[in-house]
Amino acid sequence: MSARVIAIDGPAASGKSTVARRVASALGWVYVDSGALYRAVAWKALKDGINTEDAEAVGRLADVLNPEFEMRDGAVIFRVDGREPGMELRTDRVNASVSRVAAMPTVRERVSSWLRSLTRFGNLVMEGRDIGTAVFPNAERKFYLDASPEVRARRRHAEILAQDTKASERQVGESLRKRDLVDSTRVAAPLRVAPDAVVIDTTDLTIDDVVEKVLAMAGVKEQGGSCKNGKG
Ligand code: CDP
């Protein structure tokens, strides 16, 4: 029997990560953060001194990059060059270049094929930008989470304050706005609401409210699970 997929798409800081982790945990399915793989390509390019505007060079890098995937605490994690990049994926430098890298068709092809291969770990709750539109167009349930730009900037700012940053809420909002623009205007698999997705505006909702809505609409029987931690 083939694995089942719930797709949770939407812009940055719309609540996708926390909601997707909690939904996966409640269902006993496996959580996947697809954005971490785009971040890994950008991170590795920066680390190797590759120009992140050079689509050919970044494409060649993506072709030889071989993340090793495994399951931990109900989520798929990965290593590059034998180690987990962890918080190095979330630096300002990576934030500033990831959307450009993710717009490159060769990078998208490569990352999408990694993502599709993850069904080997079981039923998936995968969050991203194009999971319901491009990676798993036949996902059995698709959700699109959104929230006002102000609330998204506030949420992301609160998250990164915990990491000793001096960025203001305005600067964080500006960084999100730039990524949103590139993500939604690129030619290859832009950020879009899939025609069959349920849209949830999380602006005035708590995480609990959103998780409850998603679970109620997912129509999948809960099994319970043990997924921990969340990034946003
Ligand atoms: O966590 P946050 O929402 O800030 O971003 P992310 O999910 O880590 O994704 C980082 C970037 O990867 C996005 O801004 C997109 O450029 C790209 N991405 C994508 O193109 N397609 C996906 N399915 C997931 C992420």
Side-chain angles (χ1 to χ4, degrees):
M1 200 179 80
S2 60
R4 302 162 71 183
V5 177
I6 292 178
I8 303 189
D9 288 304
S14 53
K16 298 182 309 289
S17 307
T18 313
V19 168
R21 276 182 188 276
R22 296 239 332 239
V23 169
S25 174
L27 300 177
W29 290 21
V30 178
Y31 164 73
V32 181
D33 170 10
S34 66
L37 287 162
Y38 289 98
R39 288 176 177 275
V41 177
W43 165 76
K44 177 73 170 147
L46 291 167
K47 203 153 95 71
D48 290 0
I50 292 170
N51 177 358
T52 56
E53 297 194 10
D54 182 341
E56 264 181 43
V58 178
R60 277 196 301 273
L61 165 72
D63 272 343
V64 297
L65 201 68
N66 239 329
E68 301 157 60
F69 295 101
E70 65 178 63
M71 277 266 289
R72 188 196 299 149
D73 292 336
V76 172
I77 57 130
F78 62 89
R79 290 192 175 73
V80 173
D81 298 337
R83 74 179 183 92
E84 286 176 53
M87 290 309 286
E88 287 176 37
L89 297 183
R90 311 198 68 82
T91 61
D92 290 343
R93 282 187 84 207
V94 171
N95 283 335
S97 56
V98 62
S99 289
R100 186 165 58 231
V101 164
M104 298 170 177
T106 36
V107 172
R108 300 207 71 76
E109 259 170 51
R110 185 86 174 130
V111 173
S112 299
S113 89
W114 292 333
L115 293 171
R116 292 187 189 111
S117 78
L118 300 179
T119 53
R120 69 183 186 270
F121 291 107
N123 296 335
L124 306 176
V125 179
M126 187 177 287
E127 60 137 318
R129 301 291 188 286
D130 65 336
I131 308 308
T133 53
V135 180
F136 288 110
N138 297 324
E140 70 178 64
R141 285 288 187 280
K142 301 178 186 178
F143 295 92
Y144 185 96
L145 304 192
D146 208 347
S148 72
E150 295 75 24
V151 164
R152 294 195 288 116
R154 196 175 312 144
R155 287 178 185 162
R156 184 54 52 93
H157 185 240
E159 255 169 52
I160 62 178
L161 271 187
Q163 301 158 23
D164 190 28
T165 175
K166 293 189 174 51
S168 66
E169 196 173 301
R170 195 187 54 75
Q171 287 166 322
V172 172
E174 186 54 21
S175 156
L176 295 187
R177 196 190 60 75
K178 281 189 187 150
R179 274 205 286 139
D180 284 354
L181 182 68
V182 180
D183 291 347
S184 52
T185 56
R186 69 185 175 217
V187 175
L191 173 64
R192 287 268 185 286
V193 183
D196 48 350
V198 174
V199 178
I200 303 177
D201 182 344
T202 72
T203 306
D204 297 316
L205 299 178
T206 64
I207 290 290
D208 283 347
D209 294 336
V210 185
V211 171
E212 207 175 294
K213 269 183 193 285
V214 169
L215 284 172
M217 283 185 272
V220 178
K221 205 168 165 295
E222 290 183 42
Q223 294 166 8
S226 62
C227 194
K228 296 179 195 85
N229 45 38
K231 75 173 161 67

